[in-house]
C-alpha cells in the first residue's frame, strides 16, 4: 500500500543520509545542512508512522479527524494566486486555518 511504499522510501533516504554523515563534508556549514536534513526526515518519518498507527486503530477515519487536521498540510491550488505567480499557489493548512505559503524561511539561515 501507499503507506508501506512511503516508509520504504523514507528508510532509503535516511540510509543514504546516514552514509553522508560518516563522510568528510568539507565544511561545518555542509555538516550542519546534512544534520538539518536528517532531523527533518526523521521527523517526517515519525509523523508518517504515527498517522499510519492512528489509521490502523481507527482513531483517524477521515480527513476531518483532529489527529489529521493538526498536521501542517501543503496543497497546490491551481486556481489560487500569490505574490509570486497567478498560476497557482501553495496553501498551508493547519486545523481549520489556510494561508498561502509565501516562500519565507523562519529557521536558522546558516543551515541553508
Amino acid at each position: 500500500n501507499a503507506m508501506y511504499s512511503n516508509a520504504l522510501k523514507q528508510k532509503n533516504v535516511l540510509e543514504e543520509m546516514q552514509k553522508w554523515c560518516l563522510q568528510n563534508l568539507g565544511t561545518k556549514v555542509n555538516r550542519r545542512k546534512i544534520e538539518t536534513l536528517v532531523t527533518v526526515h526523521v521527523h517526517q518519518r515519525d509523523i508518517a508512522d504515527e498517522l499510519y498507527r492512528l489509521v490502523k486503530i481507527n482513531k483517524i477515519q477521515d480527513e476531518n479527524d483532529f489527529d489529521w487536521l493538526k498536521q501542517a498540510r501543503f496543497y497546490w491550488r491551481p486556481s489560487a494566486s500569490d505574490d509570486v505567480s497567478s498560476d497557482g499557489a501553495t496553501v498551508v493548512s493547519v486545523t481549520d486555518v489556510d494561508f498561502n505559503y509565501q516562500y519565507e524561511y523562519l529557521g536558522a539561515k546558516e543551515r541553508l
Side-chain angles (χ1 to χ4, degrees):
N1 69 27
M3 292 297 287
Y4 180 74
S5 174
N6 181 60
L8 283 179
K9 287 178 186 176
Q10 287 178 328
K11 180 178 179 267
N12 290 338
V13 167
L14 285 169
E15 285 176 352
E16 182 64 29
M17 284 193 233
Q18 177 185 5
K19 293 176 191 172
W20 296 349
C21 291
L22 299 174
Q23 298 175 5
N24 180 356
L25 299 174
T27 65
K28 288 182 180 182
V29 171
N30 285 343
R31 178 151 304 279
R32 187 159 299 174
K33 287 178 187 178
I34 298 303
E35 289 170 354
T36 301
L37 282 171
V38 169
T39 301
V40 168
H41 279 277
V42 167
H43 176 71
Q44 289 175 344
R45 181 205 60 199
D46 292 348
I47 293 297
D49 288 349
E50 177 66 6
L51 288 171
Y52 181 65
R53 185 187 70 74
L54 292 170
V55 167
K56 283 185 77 168
I57 64 172
N58 289 326
K59 187 156 187 212
I60 297 178
Q61 296 180 1
D62 63 37
E63 68 276 3
N64 296 312
D65 288 320
F66 180 73
D67 284 307
W68 170 251
L69 291 175
K70 72 180 181 181
Q71 302 302 321
R73 299 169 325 278
F74 296 79
Y75 299 102
W76 176 252
R77 303 271 165 79
S79 60
S81 64
D82 60 22
D83 294 341
V84 176
S85 173
S86 61
D87 296 330
T90 300
V91 176
V92 182
S93 298
V94 180
T95 60
D96 61 349
V97 177
D98 292 344
F99 56 92
N100 281 0
Y101 175 69
Q102 295 294 320
Y103 309 97
E104 64 275 356
Y105 181 74
L106 302 176
K109 67 180 185 285
E110 67 274 359
R111 292 184 179 193
L112 291 177

